[in-house]
Amino acid sequence: MSQREVAAALGVSRQTVIAIENGRYSPSLPLAFRIAQFFGSTVDAMFDASEEVRT
Amino acid sequence: MIMTRHPRLRAPAVMAIGGSVIAAAVVIGQGWAAAVPVEVVTIAAAIGYYVLGGRGGDLGAIIGHRTDERQESIRVRARSLAAQVAGLAALAGYVIELARGSAVWPFELFVAVLAGSFLAGLVIYRTRGAGPDGAHEQRSQTIS
C-alpha cells in the first residue's frame, strides 16, 4: 500500500503520512484513532508514547 | 474572513482587496500615478499566490487553504512567529521614533492592538477547550 493511498484514506496529505512515519509529527488523538482503525490495530500498539517527537 | 467556495481563491482575494485598499489610499494621498505600481504589485502578488496555492506539498496546501492538521499547525506557528516579529519591529520602531522625538502614536496603537488581541485570544481559546487547531480538529472529526 502506497503512502498516497494511506493519506487519501486518512484524509491527510502524503507529507503528513511521511512525517508521522519518520517520527517528525505526533498526530492528534482523532487522527491517531483513524490510523489505528485503518490498520486494524489499536492506538497504543501503533504509537510508542516513550518516543519523543523531534520538533 | 472572506469565505469562498474555492478555498484556493481565499488568500489571493484577501491580498487583492487589501492591496486595492492601499492603492486607493495612495490615490487619495499621492494621486493616480503613484497608485498604479501599487496595484500592479498587488495583482502580481495575488496571481503568484493563486499559482502557489495550486501546487502540491505543504506550502501549496497552506497557501491554497487545503490543510490537514499538521499543515494547519505549521500555519498557526508561522503566523505566531510573524506576529512576534511584527511586535518586535513595532517596539523597535517605537523606541527609535521616541529617541528622534517624532510622533509615536502609530507604534503605540499597533502594540496596543497586538497586546489586546493576544489577551482576547487567551480568553477565547481558554474557554473553547481546543488546541490552536481547534476548528480544524472539529472538521477532522466530522470526516471520520
Side-chain angles (χ1 to χ4, degrees):
Chain A
M1 187 177 293
S2 70
Q3 289 167 334
R4 196 176 296 277
E5 287 168 338
V6 173
L10 296 173
V12 296
S13 65
R14 195 173 63 86
Q15 288 82 7
T16 294
V17 171
I18 294 167
I20 294 169
E21 277 181 358
N22 294 339
R24 284 188 288 107
Y25 177 68
S26 286
S28 67
L29 205 51
L31 178 56
F33 275 112
R34 288 210 302 277
I35 293 168
Q37 197 174 26
F38 179 75
F39 287 106
S41 183
T42 59
V43 171
D44 54 349
M46 297 282 306
F47 298 98
D48 184 359
S50 64
E51 267 185 35
E52 290 220 357
V53 172
R54 299 185 298 274
T55 53
Chain B
M1 183 191 291
I2 292 177
M3 301 299 287
T4 64
R5 283 185 190 173
H6 306 284
R8 187 178 165 188
L9 282 173
R10 202 178 297 166
V14 168
M15 195 170 276
I17 292 167
S20 298
V21 169
I22 293 170
V26 173
V27 169
I28 294 167
Q30 300 169 38
W32 285 100
V36 170
V38 176
E39 195 56 40
V40 169
V41 169
T42 295
I43 291 167
I47 291 170
Y49 243 60
Y50 182 77
V51 172
L52 276 176
R55 294 181 67 176
D58 289 337
L59 190 64
I62 290 167
I63 291 174
H65 286 268
R66 298 175 271 103
T67 54
D68 62 22
E69 62 174 46
R70 183 183 64 85
Q71 293 161 337
E72 189 65 19
S73 92
I74 293 170
R75 191 179 67 83
V76 168
R77 290 167 77 178
R79 286 175 80 167
S80 168
L81 175 68
Q84 287 177 45
V85 171
L88 282 174
L91 199 64
Y94 176 75
V95 171
I96 290 167
E97 291 305 302
L98 204 61
R100 292 176 61 195
S102 309
V104 291
W105 70 265
F107 295 102
E108 287 174 342
L109 181 69
F110 187 85
V111 172
V113 168
L114 203 63
S117 56
F118 176 70
L119 291 174
L122 285 181
V123 171
I124 293 165
Y125 298 121
R126 184 178 58 89
T127 52
R128 238 179 230 183
D133 189 16
H136 182 84
E137 219 162 81
Q138 284 167 359
R139 242 180 9 242
S140 303
Q141 285 169 345
T142 318
I143 292 168
S144 64

